[in-house]
Amino acid sequence: MRSSYCLRMTQSHPRISKAVIPAAGLGTRFLPATKATPKEMLPVVDKPAIQYVVEEAVSAGLSDVLMITGRNKRPLEDHFDRNYELEEALSRKGDAGRLAKVQESSDLATMHYVRQGDPRGLGHAVLCAAPHVGDQPFAVLLGDDLIDPRDPLLARMVEVQEREGGSVIALMEVDPAQIHLYGCAAVKPTGESDVVKVTDLVEKPDPADAPSNLAIIGRYVLDPAVFAILRETEPGRGGEIQLTDALQKLAEAEQSAAGGAGSAGGAVHGVIFKGRRYDTGDRGDYLRAIVRLACEREDLGPEFRDWLRSYVTEEM
Ligand code: G1P
């Protein structure tokens, strides 16, 4: 009895396995570093920022990764591919440690790439994933947000989506003065303290009009119904096709669905994140992420912390 129930569940809800990572942005906040190097390749300590994001998807059980890239993003593909010349040279030297580091990124996940021809916004980037994703729920991870691996967020979001259906977004309380930098959600509580139901969403509101101080941070688990909505979504804030606007339509359709029957795309839930997040798209936060992660590294941390302590006391 139990096993046939489980089988039915598995058939109707195959486990989410696909992650989409939009990586077509120009990275103008980091010029001149990003003139010829994708911003996703900037190192956080000694690993490109994008590798942390792919590792996060993999540790949440998503091993099929589609990157939405654009012109000048070739180094991303190279980073997640084999580099036989380098591997050969390191093997010849017997440098097993470095060889493992080189192979780590190419063994991580099954990588796929699609180019976003015109940079028409995050919603448009996600829409480029439609042929690859098909009709299953999928995750979206924005490369500018690094979530500390010790505070798993995506795995919790996948769990909530698999139970509730529909879409799930990550939310974090921010200083109300900062809400204009984010998508913002109005929510209702549920029986679980870290899960809310989203009733309204607005992209980068003026603080005076913001429905809350709950900001969307760059993790989403989406129902594929979002694709049809994105196809119809007009450019919004900044003249771009906004993912937030499409999710707002999903939340709205579910709220107005008659007699609680639910809408085709399902509800939008939020998981409230209280862990450590670094915005590597911001130069100050990028530096903070490097310092924090370097301090915590077993190999570099002890010496770096000593230096940092004396630097702060003696030179600042
Ligand atoms: C995007 C989204 C926004 C979200 C943010 C999270 O904005 O449009 O809703 O809050 O990512 O980092 P961007 O920062 O790309 O302008």
Side-chain angles (χ1 to χ4, degrees), residues 35-73:
K35 183 178 172 189
T37 302
K39 67 169 173 174
E40 294 80 6
M41 288 302 294
L42 296 181
V44 176
V45 188
D46 50 9
K47 218 162 39 174
I50 194 74
Q51 190 174 332
Y52 290 85
V53 179
V54 174
E55 285 172 355
E56 184 193 336
V58 171
S59 55
L62 316 178
S63 56
D64 178 303
V65 175
L66 174 71
M67 269 191 205
I68 317 293
T69 67
R71 279 176 289 283
N72 306 323
K73 297 285 181 164

Side-chain angles (χ1 to χ4, degrees), residues 247-294:
L247 292 173
Q248 158 61 14
K249 287 185 202 156
L250 279 176
E252 197 178 280
E254 211 267 341
Q255 305 257 38
S256 53
S263 60
V268 180
H269 284 90
V271 167
I272 313 257
F273 183 62
K274 293 204 156 83
R276 286 156 282 196
R277 162 195 175 251
Y278 314 103
D279 175 4
T280 55
D282 173 83
R283 287 175 302 171
D285 233 13
Y286 171 73
L287 292 175
R288 284 185 277 277
I290 292 175
V291 171
R292 267 173 97 150
L293 293 171

